[in-house]
Structures are given as structure tokens and as C-alpha cells.
Amino acid sequence: MSGVEEGNALCFFINGKKVTSLHADPETMLLSFLRDQLRLTGTKYGCGGGGCGACTVMVSRYQPATKTILHFSANSCLLPVCQLHGAAVTTVEGVGSTKTRIHPVQERIAKAHGSQCGFCTPGMVMSMYTLLRNQPQPSMDDITQALAGNLCRCTGYRPIVDGCRTFCQEDTCCRANGKGGCCLDGSQTTDEPAQDTPRLFDEEEFLPLDPTQELIFPPELILMAEAVSQQTQTFHGERMTWVSPTSLEDLVQLKTKHPKAPLVMGNTNIGPEIKFKGVVHPVIISPIRVKQLFEVTQTPQGVWVGAGCSLSGVKSLLEKLVLQLSTEKTELFRALIQQLSNLGGQQIRNVATLGGNIVSAYPNSDLNPVLAAGNCKLRVISNGGTRDVPVNQDFFIGFGKTILKPEDIVVSVFIPLSRKGEFVRAFRQAPRKENALATVTTGMRVLFSEGSRLVQDLSLYYGGLGPATVGATKTCTAIIGRPWDEQTLSRAYDLLLEELPLPPSAPGGKVAFRRSLTLSLLFKFNLEILQKLRELGVISEDLPEEMQSGIHPLPRHIQPSLQEIQNVSEGQSDQDPVGRPIMHRSALSQATGEAIYCDDLPRIEGELFLVLVTSTRPHARIVELDVSEALQRPGVVDVITARDIPGKKVRTLSGYDEELLAEKEVSCVGQMVCAVVADTKAHAKRGAAAVKISYDDLPDPVFTVEEAIEKNSFFEPQRLIERGNVAEAFKSVDQVYEGEIRIGGQEHFYMETQSMVVVPAGEEAEFNVYISCQWPTYVQEAVAETLAIPSNRVTCHVKRVGGAFGGKVTKTGILACITSVAAWKTNRAVRCVLERGEDMLITGARHPVVGRYKVGFMNDGRIVAADTQYYANAGNTVDESVLVTEKILLHLDNAYNIPNLRGRAAACRTNLPSNTAFRGFGVPQSVTVVESMVNDVAMVLGRPADQIREINMYRGSSLTHYKFEFDPENLLRCWDECKAKSDYDARRRNVDQFNQQNQWKKRGMSIIPIKYGIAFSEGFLNQAGALVHIYKDGSVLVSHGGAEMGQGIHTKVQQVASRELRIPSSKIYISETSTNIVPNTCPSAASFGTDANGMAVKNACQTLYQRLEPIRQQNPEGSWESWVSAAFFKKISLSATGFYRGPDLHMDWDRMEGQPYAYFTYGVCCSEVELDCLTGDYRTVRTDIMVDIGRSINPSVDVGQIEGAFIQGLGLFTMEELTFSPSGILYSRGPSQYKVPSICDVPLQFNVYLLPDSHNPHAIYSSKGIGEPVLFLGSSVFFAIKDAVAVARSESGLVGPFSLDSPSTPERACLACVTPFTQKIPPSKPGSFKPWALNIL
């Protein structure tokens, strides 16, 4: 083998600067290289598996063959640094900076209010930046495709799209913001908004995009790429060796010598195996520089595509060929393009290769069924020579296995041209419309005898129906030689079910759904073929119009949306920022990557990294904890166990103790047992893997609500609330109905995982805790109690939080305690940053709830009595579960005045990870049960659900079921305004007409209200403190107790200080939230952060302003700076504390009455969906949200909170699904298994209106809390889907109430439609098999 050198130097460029590494480790990914070695922390860790886009960078390579430069986005978490030799990498820091010049992409995302917590923003910037480097004037399709691989948990995506839309040439006809529609759409108005209509941003202020200002590609890399004598490169790491040959001959020799060595190009398969499964490959071969693997050759029969071509490259190639060749020759090409458009995100497609995708042989591969159906073949080379291998039924022999030998190398893939009379189609169904592995995927090809419907050849291949891609050869054989007609296809469905069995315990679950998809996707193919035969004149019958809906795609184009906000008060000073749409104060820093998050803090000398060891059993005694092997591992310094804790070993909540580290017994998989500290994260992980725990399993673990009820396993107290006489009322009603709905849990999926650094100060047991949390004081107290030191020795610092949603309170405190013990024991700084899978396993989620109800009502729709029982799956510890059940009961009326109402709620103690607070704190689950009950009443009576809702709403001065008096006027106004703004009645008629004309697509609508109580029912939690300093130069430093986690509390507080001190916001700074500045703070939660902290800051600023009054009177024409200077010389204090006592709220559960809330925030949401009954896929066509938030302090922040909460609610109610194994192991531990909404899930038209002329005397400046209430309104999509399903069911003769649990995933929606295809699936007998997953719903 020629030119092999040991330990070559790695050379590449980052942001225009040359980087040379002499000791590149094959296990080092670009992300850790950027963050740890170069201190470029703008690129974020979000999941580590290429599923979230937070780590996106741009990679540029010179192509010697074409003398062009290729720019592409990539996930740096999967990009081995060894692979970057000769590449130029651009990170968010290289795009622009607030210190030099911000880039238009950064500016527009920030000023369009597309950055809230900001953790995802650098990734969004880089995806959009890369697109603009390739296409300076992109289309909206280009933009949505470029952003499809990036997740955001805060914004709801709309403002990000609006900011990026300003680059879009096709949309210059209409403004992206402030109007209802596009001038190209005749159904929308293009009237100019009134001059005084406030807008969220003005795009005319944006910097123009100037491509000439971008970084140039380094000339040195061009010379390197064109060098003739390139050598094989070798890089040696701690455990692996990386070899990168330059010729096919060298590659064959290497693979012969190391047959088990994987070939790595995109690292999208091998990378996650190494990272998540602990696989070690002593040798890795990277053939990225072997030119033969990238060659493309056209022949009269088809095209040979190099196996090393990226999926993006293959898609571009096929798109060019489709334009060049006749339509009949490109059937297979077009089917592949369709699949490639949905396969992964753009970042994955840019690096994943065609050959790698094929030989990975995933059972639900999108490409393999199409390649197999299309008679493609592989050119394979080994030491024994070259051969062609067909991709067919025999090629795939098991999970991840093919007939290829270990030493075989796929050089190229042949994709044939289609023949006359040949048609190829691809279909897929996935949990999310884009960037999701398919549930079932297909490739189907049929060849007809010329001019006839006689089937000459047929191929049907499926993915997702077993361990490998499967072909339906028997079914095909039965059809070949027969005419393509109803009789033939009817027989084919039965044969297909027979030929492709799927046992009820099959991995992946969803068995009935997957089996039904085999039939419904064949039916879609049938409809497509019938339409083609009609177009070609082979058959004369037209495909009935209502049947055509089976093949019409769901709508997908995002329309400009409307955000209708309030004007500021007449006469308000231009300098007063309150009520104006001010950009998030950190948005620009977040967009440039300069904003500092917890794990961005520089490493401290001697710092250690902590990795947790968790239980692998759901309920067991710990027999032995053996850490001896772990302590022998390189870099491991110590192992922390419960015995090391010097102080309190538990945290106590609701009267129950939760162990910091399990000592004698574990009660769930994922319970923390010990922690390993080492010099690096990699060493700590390997040390943790070496810890051995012996268990003695305890009998009968409890997982489900039903098991908890059976075994009376509850956390006390169980709560009851009642008004009226429910039992008597049931005797006097016209009708009684009983129902049940199950609402699944929800993972927080904050983009920044749990992160903390604990630093011993070096004297008198003092510790600094830098942490991402919602309640710094709780962490301070917890750490102090754990270390048995006073709270004054612990300072907790929170700069900003990359999303929290309730998930960074209790478990964060426990994690901080464990980390502090490690810092105390080693006397060194210790960092703990959970990986995404660890975070999802350990920290719990939203409570799954089972709601059972009995409702009594009159024939005119009035609900007279309701009796509801809620069971929340709390998990293994109490956490905040009892408090959640209380809030569930306090909202069981929602917007309805039900005179006789009873609710009971219990927190079930189970052997699953403990569930915790989540945005809404039980209210979404509570009110979903109520709204389901109202829906059922409407269905029993055969009346529209909105009528039943209107009939039963609170009116006039009202009392809740806990005897709290309130005025529902603004609730009713929201309802009426939402119906008017959404044009509900006319669109309802249009929906009915659509449903009559379409058999396989159905539309549904719903309009849903919310009445949400604001503040903590425990009155002491409503207090807040602040400290405001004025410095001699006139600058102001504000500190308060609220944590900035994307909700804009610092921005609003800055506006408050600006108004009260009568100075510009630019003079005011907020640095961090710290317990040594403002003590004894309360959590940033309950949508009360601005209400409380804003009032405290207002109090402090008023004190200071009054102190300056004598100075102003002496010099009324003076400047702010002159007044401050004069005050200093007159010895007037320029520092003041502020305090807000908060409302004295309470709830007496014995008397079942109280005032647990300060006021209510009201909202109403109307959503319309279009549902594909054959697959369960849906699109939200339009959403209109009307919200009463009083007088908004910052409309841009509040609209962002509304949109983000709605999309998070849409995820809860339609797609996010936690799955557990029968032994209680969480399956869904990352974005590849757990799907949160992405840009493809945003309503195509997404309108938000703030109720005008609303006032709230109970909060600062008449505003209202808005963080949580709107999340429940995401259920409007759930109820719209249920509405569409009801129409589909009625066509099968099924009318009246039916069960549809939440989330209404495609599986549940499709099966609920009861199509002819779902009816063909024989039900599995419960108890006759062990299911793949528990039914935790």
C-alpha cells in the first residue's frame, strides 16, 4: 500500500483561520473540538445524534473536477474532526458578531423575534446562512427545506419563518408581517393596513444581503485539493485508528486487511452507534477521498451513481436528469426524489451517502424498497474482483444485514431508466411529516403490456414490516398476467395481509396500524395507476372525484400570517417602551453565538466532569455496588455514592422523601445510584459504564394507572372538590353519558439539557453554583442542606436558561446536590451536563392522565351535572404530583358554569421515572377531559360542539366551583371575536362541502376556550425582590429574582425600569439572577414571573426616582447623567431594593373553597385540519388565536409566548409520545424516537390576535401572565382531527361518541377512521402476547 504515514497532521480552516492538529482523535467530533479546544461555544450541543440542528455549521469543500466550491450544512455533533482535512468550516461566530458586523441572517431572525431562549438560534442561523450562500434569493420551499432539520421548542417557528421570508424573492408582493394573506391568492385581502396599525417589525430597516462580504474559500485549500500526490492519512486516538486512503486500490487492500472495520463517510450510522451504544471499532476506514466513489456515469439504460455521493447530491442529480429526459423514462427517478426529500433533515442528507444508506439495511429504510422495486443493482469490489449485485428480496437478510461480505465495498449504484408502460411510486408514513424515520415505507413498480391494463411485471417492497426490507413476491405473482382492476386488487389485499404477517409483539409496536398501511398504501398506488391508465387512454372510466382525494397531497405551503397587536395608549411618550414590540434584549447575542449558557463557561483548571450511573431495574434491592473497575479506568478520579453525602441525603416534597442517590433500593429504571467524576467527559462515561450493580428484583412492579388503582398505590392526599348536589342532579337530567379519555405524557425537550458547574471557592466551605434552572434559591438551599453548610456559603448564578418549561426545578436541584458533593469531596470544580438520552430518562415528564367522567345534560344542551375522576401517573417519587392534581381540580370547570360539579384526583405511585412540573401544570390534561366531555354531549345530541360550548359558558358575575368570584366578559369577547376573525360559520360550511366531495381526505374544525388561573395558590410563592443600582455615569444595573429562560422576563423588566426611571432602555442592563444579590426568591413559574418581579423592580425604581426629585427640581433642564452625578455628591443613595408582597392566595381543601388565583387569562382558538384517512397524516390548515392578556407590556414577546405555547400544545395533543418497554425502560430517549413539532407542523396560516381594550387591575401595567395558558389551545387541533375522524366514521355507518386518546397520532387517527383497510386487520387478543411497549396513556 503506497504512501502510508503514521500520525499525519490534520489541516483545515475554521472561520478563515488555519487549524492544524497533530494528534487528532478519531472519536473527536467537530462539535467538541469547536467548544472544548477552540472555545467557539456558539455551536450548541442539543442531542448529539444529528436530530435537532443546534450544532449546525457550514462545511465548504473545493471540487477539483469542476473547480467549484461546495457549501453544505452539517451536524457538527456527527462530523468526525479527522474527516475535515482540506475543508473550510464556518460557525456562527464566523458569520457575524455584535463586536464587528452582524450578518443579515442574524439580524432578521433576531429582529423578527425568532429567538426566545436562543439555544437553537445559532443552528437556525447556520442553516439559513448556508442556503443563502448557495441561493441568495431562495423560494419559501427552499427555506422550509433548509430549516426542516432544526428544532425549536420556544417560538412556534412562525417568527423564524417570517424573518427568513424577507430573503425570499417570490414574497415581495406581500408583507410577511401585519397582513392576512398574499396578493397572489384571490381569497385573501391585500388592503394596506392602516397607518397606525402597530407591527411587530419593519423589514425596511433590515441590512441588505451582500454576498460579496462573505468569507472567501482559503486559496491554500484549493492548492491542497489540486495536489497530484495525495497520501493515505492515518490518525491514532486513544482507542481507535482512522485511515483515509486516496485510491480504490488502497481502499480494497485496507478492507481486506480489516474486514470488520466500518467505512465511514457521513457518520450518520456508525457515529450514533459509537456514541449511544458504546461500540468500539479499533480501525475506521474513511474513503471520502477515493474519487471513484463519487463518479457518475450515464448509459442508455440508466445512470451509475457513486456510492459515496451524498443523498443531497443524488437528489440534485436526479432532479437534473428529470428535466433532461422524457417523463416516461424518469418514473423511478421521481419516486426516489420524493423519498429523498423527506429522508432526514438537510444536514443529514448533505453528509449521508447513497451506498451507506443502502448497506445500513435499516428495516424502515426509505430508499431500499424503491431501489429494490426499481430493479437497481450495486457494483461491488473486493480483493476477489468486481461484481454486480441486484438489490432485491434476497439482498436483505436481517436487521442491518445484507448478503455482502465484510470485505465487500459498494462502488456505485445503478438506477435504471423506466420503460414505456412502467410506473413507479413511493409512499411513506412517518410520525412527523419531515425529518422522521418512517413507520411504513414502500416502493411499488408495475409494467403493463403496451396499450393494455394487463400486468406484465410487478414489484411491491415494504419497509417497516419486519427486521428488513421485504418484497411481496406471492402477491405480485398472483397479479402478474391479470388485468389491473378492482377484482385483481381486491384479491391482492387479502394476499398481502397473508404474505406480510406482523406478530402483535413486533418491535416498534403499532402493529394494527402498520398492517393497515400495507393495504392503504397499495390502494393509493392503485388510484395513481388508474389515473395514469385513464390519462393514457387505456381505460375510459374517470377516477371518481371523491376518490381522487386518496392521492391528492395534503396542503403544505406556509402562508403569511397575521399578528394583530394593541396600540400603545394615546399620548404615551415615544421614549416609554412599555406596550411596544421590543426585540428580546439578548436576541442579537443569541443569533451571533455570543450569548453565554451554562456549559459555555470556560473550563476551570483541574475541573472534573460528572456522569451519573442509573438503575437498570424498575423495582429491586441493591445487593452490591462495585466501583472498583470504574476507579481503575483512565482519568477517573472518584465515584460518588450516598455514603459520601455529608449532610441531608434526601429532598422532601409533600411530606415524602426522595433520595439523592439510591442506597438500598431502586424504584424505577433511571433512578440515580452513583456518579463518576473524571478528567474528561469521555473518561467519566467509560468509568460509569464500568460500575457494576447487583440487584435482587422485587415482585410486581407497578407501571400503569390501572395497576396502581388495583394495588391502591397512591401518593396522599387524594383531593376532592364538589359544588351542588351531583347525585341528586343526575336524577333530574334528560340524558346521562359516561366516557373516558387518556392523555399521554410529554417530554420537556428543552434545547439545553440539564447543565451545571459547581466551584469550591477555596475557603470556609463556600461554593459557587452556575446552573441552568428556574429557581436559584431552591438550588441554593438544597446544596446547603446536602453539604451541611449555611445557605450564605452557597451562591447560585443563572445567566440564562436554554428552555425549561417546568422541568428545571426539582430534578435540577437534586442534580446540583450530587454535583456539589463531588465538588466538596474532590475540592475541585465539577461540571455536569446531561446528554439528551440521560436527561429524558432521569428528569421525568408531564403526567399522563386518565380522565373518567359521567355527565348529565338536558336535550337542549345544558350540562346540569358532571362527575370526573382524574388519575395522574406520578412515577416513583411524589415530586410536585400532588400539587398538579390540585391544579387539575381547580380547572375542571374550564369556561363552563356547571351547577353540579364533582372532581376527584389521585397521583398514582408507579415504578416509572418520577414525573414533574410542565408548562400548564396539569391544566392541559384537566381541561382536555372537560372538553372531551362537552364534545361527547354534542355528539350524543347530534349538535355542533361549538353550540354546546356556548350554551354552557359562564355569563355575568360568576362563581367558580371553589367559590371565587369573577367576571367572564372578556372570555365571551374572546369567543365572539375568535369566531368572527376566523370566519367560523362560513368556513364550517366550506368544510362540510369539502367532506361531501372527498372520500379519503376529511377536514375538521374546532373552536376551544381556556380560562386559566394565574399565580401560585400557595400565597408565599407570589413575593419577589429586586435590587437596582444607578452608577455615576448614569448607567443602571437591575437585578431581580426571575430566571430568563426565553420568556422575555429580562426584556420586560428592562421596559419597566425604563418607564419608571424615564430613561432609555439602552442605559439599563441586567446581568444575571444570583442568590447573593436578590435573596429568597421564588420560582420563575406559574406565568407569574413578570407580575411579581416586574412589580419589585417598579418599587425599587420608584424609590430611586423619588430620591432624585429634589435634584430634578433644582435643575429641571438637566440631563439624567447630571442628576445622578449631583445626587452622588449630595450623598443620596443611588441603590435601592424593591419588594412585592404578592396577593394572599389560598385554597382550603377541607371546605373546598378559596382564592387560589389572582386573576384569569382567557383565550379562544379555532383550528382547521385536513386529514388523510388512509394514513392518519394531517395538516393544520389554519389556526386563529384570540387571547386576553390585558395590556401587553411587550406584544412581540407575548405573541411569541402564545405561538410557542400553542405549538408545544399541538405536540402534546397530536404527536409527542413517550414509550416504555414492558419492564419500564424508556424507549424514546432522543429526537430520533421522540418527535416534537418541527417547521412542517406549523399551521399553514397562523393568526394571533390580542384582545383590544382589555384591562387587568391585578397585575403590573394592567398586563396578564401568558406563558402557560395557550398551551392547552393546541388541543383545538386534536378536536379538529376528532371532528374529521367523526365524518369518516359516519361514512362507515358509525355515529355518536367514540374514543380517541391523546396524542391523536397518525396511528390513532387512522384506526379511529375505521376505513375498509383497517377493518381487514384481525384484532390481537389481549393477554395472548407480550406487547412491545406498555400502554402508559
Side-chain angles (χ1 to χ4, degrees), residues 414-454:
F414 180 70
I415 306 174
L417 299 175
S418 43
R419 296 165 282 177
K420 192 172 184 180
E422 188 173 45
F423 306 106
V424 184
R425 294 291 182 273
F427 302 97
R428 78 192 298 266
Q429 198 292 316
R432 188 170 59 205
K433 289 169 272 291
E434 293 174 0
N435 195 18
L437 294 170
T439 303
V440 171
T441 180
T442 67
M444 300 181 177
R445 178 187 61 86
V446 63
L447 175 64
F448 291 102
S449 300
E450 192 168 348
S452 83
R453 65 195 303 171
L454 203 67

Side-chain angles (χ1 to χ4, degrees), residues 80-215:
V81 74
C82 291
Q83 199 148 311
L84 291 170
H85 187 74
V89 174
T90 305
T91 72
V92 70
E93 292 93 342
V95 171
S97 160
T98 59
K99 297 172 185 174
T100 54
R101 168 186 170 273
I102 60 169
H103 190 277
V105 174
Q106 296 166 322
E107 179 197 34
R108 296 187 194 192
I109 286 180
K111 291 185 177 177
H113 314 293
S115 183
Q116 288 184 19
C117 88
F119 202 79
C120 74
T121 308
M124 294 283 182
V125 165
M126 292 313 302
S127 289
M128 190 63 198
Y129 175 77
T130 308
L131 172 64
L132 293 173
R133 288 297 299 265
N134 291 314
Q135 293 171 262
Q137 292 184 342
S139 68
M140 270 307 297
D141 278 349
D142 294 330
I143 291 171
T144 53
Q145 193 170 77
L147 297 178
N150 293 75
L151 298 178
C152 172
R153 200 58 160 157
C154 292
T155 65
Y157 300 99
R158 192 277 312 160
I160 298 170
V161 171
D162 274 2
C164 295
R165 190 196 295 273
T166 59
F167 293 106
C168 183
Q169 191 68 24
E170 68 191 40
D171 280 334
T172 53
C173 61
C174 52
R175 295 191 179 274
N177 176 271
K179 287 194 181 178
C182 172
C183 60
L184 298 178
D185 182 353
S187 66
Q188 302 289 350
T189 177
T190 58
D191 294 336
E192 281 292 332
Q195 289 299 310
D196 61 347
T197 300
R199 301 164 60 84
L200 291 183
F201 66 88
D202 185 356
E203 63 188 79
E204 292 175 5
E205 296 177 359
F206 291 157
L207 294 168
L209 179 67
D210 184 0
T212 65
Q213 298 300 303
E214 309 297 359
L215 284 171

Side-chain angles (χ1 to χ4, degrees), residues 706-717:
E706 284 74 15
E707 290 168 345
I709 295 169
E710 181 187 339
K711 295 178 181 177
N712 199 31
S713 180
F714 301 109
F715 289 110
E716 299 296 338

Side-chain angles (χ1 to χ4, degrees), residues 361-396:
Y362 277 121
N364 51 354
S365 163
D366 282 303
L367 296 187
N368 286 338
V370 187
L371 296 169
N375 290 328
C376 296
K377 57 186 176 184
L378 310 180
R379 183 148 292 166
V380 176
I381 191 170
S382 67
N383 213 27
T386 302
R387 69 188 194 280
D388 289 350
V389 178
V391 179
N392 57 21
Q393 175 84 6
D394 301 325
F395 181 75
F396 306 101

Side-chain angles (χ1 to χ4, degrees), residues 929-944:
V929 176
V930 176
E931 294 298 339
S932 183
M933 179 180 77
V934 174
N935 248 42
D936 285 349
V937 170
M939 294 194 81
V940 169
L941 294 172
R943 293 183 56 183

